[in-house]
Every structure is written in C-alpha cells, then in structure tokens.
Amino acid sequence: VISEREPGRIIAQDAELGFQRSQALVMIQVFTQQGRTTSTKQNLFDALATRLGALGIEGNGIFVGIVENTAADWSFGFGRAQYVEGDLSIPARQ
Amino acid sequence: VISEREPGRIIAQDAELGFQRSQALVMIQVFTQQGRTTSTKQNLFDALATRLGALGIEGNGIFVGIVENTAADWSFGFGRAQYVEGDLSIPARQ
Amino acid sequence: VISEREPGRIIAQDAELGFQRSQALVMIQVFTQQGRTTSTKQNLFDALATRLGALGIEGNGIFVGIVENTAADWSFGFGRAQYVEGDLSIPARQ
C-alpha cells in the first residue's frame, strides 16, 4: 500500500545519528507474522536501501519499521484464517 | 478510519493461495488490545467477509490483519489511560 | 506522518465512556520500541491532551494508541539496523 504526502506532512529527525535527513523520504512499515531472525531483518533493511538507492533515494531518507503479529491474526481472503485453518503452512524461518 | 487508494497504489498478491486477486480490494487492519482467542478472530474474519460480500466485495479481495497491544497503550480521550485508571474495565474474553 | 480525512472518513465512538465525541478528532498512533512503563505512557497521553488542548482540540476528540516492537525492528537510514549494529544504544527506560 503506497501513500504519498505533501511537503511538511512528514516530520523526520535524525534520531541522534548525526546526519541531515533528506527531503526525499521513504518510510516503510512492514506488517508481518513473527518469527524472522535479527539477521533476516538486517538483510531486509540492506536490500531495501540498495534497491531504493538504485531509484535515487539516498540512505538518509530511508526509514523501516517492522511490526509483528501471529499466525491467527491474518485472513488473506474469503473470511478464512489461512494459517490456522491449514490453507497455508506457517513458513519455516531462518 | 477509511482511506481510498488510486489504482496501482495497492499491490496485492495471492500469498500462494492459488487464486486471482480481485481489483476491488479491501484491506482492514484491526488495531486492538490483546486477549481475543483464535476462535473469536476467526469469527471476525468470517463476519467481515460476509458483510463485505453483501456490498459486492468478493472474497478474493478481502485482507484482514490484526495488531495487538496492551491495556496501558490506549487513551480514548482527555489524556487519560482509561483501562489503567479505572474508567474502563478490561473486557473479559472468550 | 500527518494525514487528514474528509468528514465521514473517521467513525469514532465513545467506547462506552459516556460522552459525545467531538467532530474535531485527532487520532495518534505511536509506533515505537518496547520498554516504556505505564507511568511514562500516562505522562505522554496527558502531555498530548494538554498540547492539543492549547490548539483548540478538546479532550473528547483525542485518541492515542501505542504499538510496540523491538530493537531489531528498526532501520533509521542507510539500510542499517542501528540498535543492533551499535550505532545507537537502546535507551534506558524509567
């Protein structure tokens, strides 16, 4: 789900990291099932910055936050809870 | 809180469930206090699909995700934490 | 990140608190790392209501919900996981 904001509608600080924020900001919220390792998350962050960099978005404009829930918290269609009802297996994680 | 998106602003896949996504998509994020059982969540998913179906939204266009927090994470007005401060009792769950 | 909604796009009830909702509604979702105490959260709710009140937003129009994740769930730029990789220390909480 992609949303754009007019200038001034995103107020972004550097979180005491000592750099200037770009005005070309991309904030990504990943809403997903729990279970990924820290290493997998680090790989995601790195891949997102690499791919956004190729589109001209600099590293000082990229935020990512992950929010996690459980298998019972998802319905992907038809009113079913696919993980709970066996339509989908819960992914093995590494 | 209801938001609409222009075509192309929601990219939805089938999550390997083997059906085609409708272009008439409704994505619902339920942000609520923890404590509901899996069965209660399944009933919610089913009820949402039934009611949206009555409005012409097909099952292949309905996503629901639940994200949970705790009683201390809510203020419903006036700067108070109503669950913590006793204005509201924490609901019994089944 | 600030978004505005047309009238009718936010449907707010009183959550059985026995007051009428204002039509001048502000809903705030705080997305942050876990670790704050209930008391710190109560102080936040109170400060938000006080500051919004000074701008003319009445207490019956203010909702706040907090959603928490962990240190590994954040990247504040450059594809790095700053809390995990040592660029930022995890704040002490009280």
Side-chain angles (χ1 to χ4, degrees):
Chain A
V1 181
I2 302 164
S3 299
E4 289 163 304
R5 292 289 185 285
E6 297 294 319
R9 292 308 192 182
I10 301 182
I11 300 164
Q13 297 177 326
D14 74 349
E16 303 185 4
L17 284 160
F19 58 82
Q20 287 291 108
R21 282 283 165 209
S22 169
Q23 291 303 300
L25 284 167
V26 176
M27 293 185 160
I28 299 174
Q29 189 181 55
V30 179
F31 178 35
T32 189
Q33 192 183 156
Q34 66 191 12
R36 272 79 169 198
T37 63
T38 294
S39 168
T40 295
K41 293 174 183 180
Q42 289 175 284
N43 290 341
L44 173 67
F45 299 147
D46 185 62
L48 286 170
T50 299
R51 294 190 190 192
L52 288 167
L55 300 172
I57 307 296
E58 294 182 86
N60 59 349
I62 303 172
F63 289 77
V64 190
I66 300 171
V67 58
E68 296 180 333
N69 61 7
T70 72
D73 293 318
W74 290 104
S75 175
F76 296 111
F78 305 97
R80 294 178 60 80
Q82 279 84 2
Y83 287 125
V84 169
E85 298 171 18
D87 309 26
L88 280 176
S89 56
I90 297 174
R93 305 298 190 194
Q94 73 283 343
Chain B
V1 182
I2 302 164
S3 299
E4 288 161 304
R5 293 288 184 287
E6 297 295 318
R9 293 306 193 181
I10 301 182
I11 301 164
Q13 297 177 326
D14 75 347
E16 303 184 8
L17 284 160
F19 57 82
Q20 287 291 109
R21 282 282 165 210
S22 168
Q23 291 303 301
L25 284 168
V26 176
M27 293 185 161
I28 298 174
Q29 188 182 56
V30 180
F31 178 34
T32 189
Q33 192 181 157
Q34 67 191 10
R36 271 82 169 194
T37 63
T38 294
S39 169
T40 295
K41 293 174 182 179
Q42 289 175 283
N43 290 342
L44 173 67
F45 299 148
D46 185 63
L48 286 170
T50 299
R51 295 191 190 191
L52 287 167
L55 300 172
I57 308 296
E58 294 183 85
N60 59 349
I62 303 173
F63 289 78
V64 189
I66 300 172
V67 57
E68 297 180 331
N69 61 7
T70 71
D73 293 318
W74 290 104
S75 176
F76 295 111
F78 304 98
R80 295 179 60 80
Q82 279 85 0
Y83 287 124
V84 169
E85 300 172 16
D87 309 27
L88 280 177
S89 57
I90 298 173
R93 307 296 190 196
Q94 72 284 342
Chain C
V1 181
I2 302 164
S3 299
E4 288 162 305
R5 292 289 184 287
E6 297 294 318
R9 292 307 192 183
I10 301 183
I11 300 164
Q13 297 176 326
D14 75 348
E16 302 184 6
L17 284 160
F19 58 81
Q20 287 292 108
R21 283 282 167 210
S22 168
Q23 291 304 301
L25 284 168
V26 176
M27 293 185 160
I28 299 174
Q29 189 182 55
V30 179
F31 178 34
T32 189
Q33 192 183 156
Q34 65 191 12
R36 272 79 169 199
T37 63
T38 294
S39 169
T40 295
K41 293 174 182 178
Q42 289 175 282
N43 290 341
L44 173 68
F45 298 148
D46 184 63
L48 286 170
T50 298
R51 294 190 191 191
L52 287 167
L55 300 172
I57 307 296
E58 295 183 84
N60 59 349
I62 303 173
F63 288 77
V64 190
I66 300 172
V67 57
E68 295 181 332
N69 62 6
T70 72
D73 293 318
W74 289 103
S75 175
F76 295 110
F78 304 98
R80 294 178 61 81
Q82 279 85 1
Y83 287 125
V84 169
E85 298 172 17
D87 309 27
L88 279 176
S89 57
I90 297 174
R93 305 297 189 195
Q94 73 282 343

